[in-house]
mmCIF file of all heavy atoms in Angstrom:
data_model
loop_
_atom_site.group_PDB
_atom_site.id
_atom_site.type_symbol
_atom_site.label_atom_id
_atom_site.label_comp_id
_atom_site.label_asym_id
_atom_site.label_seq_id
_atom_site.Cartn_x
_atom_site.Cartn_y
_atom_site.Cartn_z
ATOM 1 N N ILE B 222 -15.517 46.947 32.456
ATOM 2 C CA ILE B 222 -16.271 47.508 31.345
ATOM 3 C C ILE B 222 -16.461 49.056 31.519
ATOM 4 O O ILE B 222 -16.224 49.801 30.652
ATOM 5 C CB ILE B 222 -17.711 46.842 31.362
ATOM 6 C CG1 ILE B 222 -17.484 45.438 30.875
ATOM 7 C CG2 ILE B 222 -18.698 47.647 30.443
ATOM 8 C CD1 ILE B 222 -18.735 44.596 31.050
ATOM 9 N N ALA B 223 -16.769 49.459 32.879
ATOM 10 C CA ALA B 223 -16.951 50.875 33.140
ATOM 11 C C ALA B 223 -15.660 51.689 32.872
ATOM 12 O O ALA B 223 -15.632 52.752 32.240
ATOM 13 C CB ALA B 223 -17.365 51.077 34.608
ATOM 14 N N LEU B 224 -14.522 51.026 33.291
ATOM 15 C CA LEU B 224 -13.242 51.746 33.083
ATOM 16 C C LEU B 224 -12.934 51.922 31.580
ATOM 17 O O LEU B 224 -12.557 53.022 31.146
ATOM 18 C CB LEU B 224 -12.156 50.904 33.682
ATOM 19 C CG LEU B 224 -10.730 51.516 33.815
ATOM 20 C CD1 LEU B 224 -10.765 52.707 34.809
ATOM 21 C CD2 LEU B 224 -9.690 50.493 34.293
ATOM 22 N N ILE B 225 -13.229 50.824 30.854
ATOM 23 C CA ILE B 225 -12.898 50.933 29.355
ATOM 24 C C ILE B 225 -13.854 51.945 28.802
ATOM 25 O O ILE B 225 -13.353 52.770 27.963
ATOM 26 C CB ILE B 225 -13.190 49.558 28.818
ATOM 27 C CG1 ILE B 225 -11.995 48.587 29.180
ATOM 28 C CG2 ILE B 225 -13.209 49.652 27.198
ATOM 29 C CD1 ILE B 225 -12.349 47.100 28.888
ATOM 30 N N THR B 226 -15.083 52.068 29.185
ATOM 31 C CA THR B 226 -16.042 53.012 28.547
ATOM 32 C C THR B 226 -15.601 54.405 28.866
ATOM 33 O O THR B 226 -15.639 55.290 27.975
ATOM 34 C CB THR B 226 -17.472 52.750 29.160
ATOM 35 O OG1 THR B 226 -17.757 51.404 29.139
ATOM 36 C CG2 THR B 226 -18.516 53.465 28.388
ATOM 37 N N PHE B 227 -15.308 54.677 30.118
ATOM 38 C CA PHE B 227 -14.907 56.004 30.585
ATOM 39 C C PHE B 227 -13.578 56.479 29.875
ATOM 40 O O PHE B 227 -13.571 57.499 29.250
ATOM 41 C CB PHE B 227 -14.688 55.987 32.073
ATOM 42 C CG PHE B 227 -14.206 57.340 32.622
ATOM 43 C CD1 PHE B 227 -15.103 58.496 32.606
ATOM 44 C CD2 PHE B 227 -12.827 57.458 32.995
ATOM 45 C CE1 PHE B 227 -14.629 59.661 33.088
ATOM 46 C CE2 PHE B 227 -12.445 58.712 33.454
ATOM 47 C CZ PHE B 227 -13.269 59.884 33.557
ATOM 48 N N MET B 228 -12.577 55.563 29.835
ATOM 49 C CA MET B 228 -11.331 55.925 29.250
ATOM 50 C C MET B 228 -11.516 56.114 27.761
ATOM 51 O O MET B 228 -10.939 56.931 27.189
ATOM 52 C CB MET B 228 -10.362 54.775 29.517
ATOM 53 C CG MET B 228 -9.827 54.647 30.846
ATOM 54 S SD MET B 228 -8.707 55.938 31.324
ATOM 55 C CE MET B 228 -7.265 55.472 30.394
ATOM 56 N N GLY B 229 -12.372 55.294 27.202
ATOM 57 C CA GLY B 229 -12.561 55.331 25.744
ATOM 58 C C GLY B 229 -13.139 56.679 25.370
ATOM 59 O O GLY B 229 -12.716 57.342 24.463
ATOM 60 N N ALA B 230 -14.225 57.088 26.170
ATOM 61 C CA ALA B 230 -14.921 58.295 25.869
ATOM 62 C C ALA B 230 -14.006 59.583 25.972
ATOM 63 O O ALA B 230 -13.922 60.404 25.108
ATOM 64 C CB ALA B 230 -16.081 58.519 26.826
ATOM 65 N N SER B 231 -13.272 59.604 27.125
ATOM 66 C CA SER B 231 -12.330 60.726 27.331
ATOM 67 C C SER B 231 -11.267 60.803 26.331
ATOM 68 O O SER B 231 -10.912 61.808 25.799
ATOM 69 C CB SER B 231 -11.772 60.683 28.793
ATOM 70 O OG SER B 231 -11.042 59.544 28.882
ATOM 71 N N THR B 232 -10.753 59.630 26.030
ATOM 72 C CA THR B 232 -9.663 59.564 24.998
ATOM 73 C C THR B 232 -10.166 60.007 23.599
ATOM 74 O O THR B 232 -9.513 60.719 22.914
ATOM 75 C CB THR B 232 -9.125 58.019 24.833
ATOM 76 O OG1 THR B 232 -8.909 57.587 26.124
ATOM 77 C CG2 THR B 232 -7.799 58.033 24.074
ATOM 78 N N LEU B 233 -11.312 59.547 23.257
ATOM 79 C CA LEU B 233 -11.915 59.923 21.959
ATOM 80 C C LEU B 233 -12.122 61.450 21.848
ATOM 81 O O LEU B 233 -11.779 62.061 20.813
ATOM 82 C CB LEU B 233 -13.308 59.255 21.774
ATOM 83 C CG LEU B 233 -13.284 57.857 21.174
ATOM 84 C CD1 LEU B 233 -14.646 57.235 21.064
ATOM 85 C CD2 LEU B 233 -12.691 57.974 19.705
ATOM 86 N N ARG B 234 -12.558 61.995 22.950
ATOM 87 C CA ARG B 234 -12.796 63.440 22.999
ATOM 88 C C ARG B 234 -11.457 64.204 22.798
ATOM 89 O O ARG B 234 -11.461 65.171 21.986
ATOM 90 C CB ARG B 234 -13.491 63.852 24.403
ATOM 91 C CG ARG B 234 -14.541 64.798 24.210
ATOM 92 C CD ARG B 234 -15.263 65.019 25.569
ATOM 93 N NE ARG B 234 -16.086 63.971 25.909
ATOM 94 C CZ ARG B 234 -16.174 63.552 27.203
ATOM 95 N NH1 ARG B 234 -15.406 64.010 28.135
ATOM 96 N NH2 ARG B 234 -16.975 62.534 27.433
ATOM 97 N N ALA B 235 -10.454 63.756 23.478
ATOM 98 C CA ALA B 235 -9.188 64.428 23.338
ATOM 99 C C ALA B 235 -8.579 64.349 21.969
ATOM 100 O O ALA B 235 -8.170 65.320 21.402
ATOM 101 C CB ALA B 235 -8.157 63.840 24.316
#
Side-chain angles (χ1 to χ4, degrees):
Chain B
I222 290 165
L224 191 66
I225 289 165
T226 316
F227 176 73
M228 288 290 288
S231 59
T232 314
L233 271 175
R234 224 175 284 141

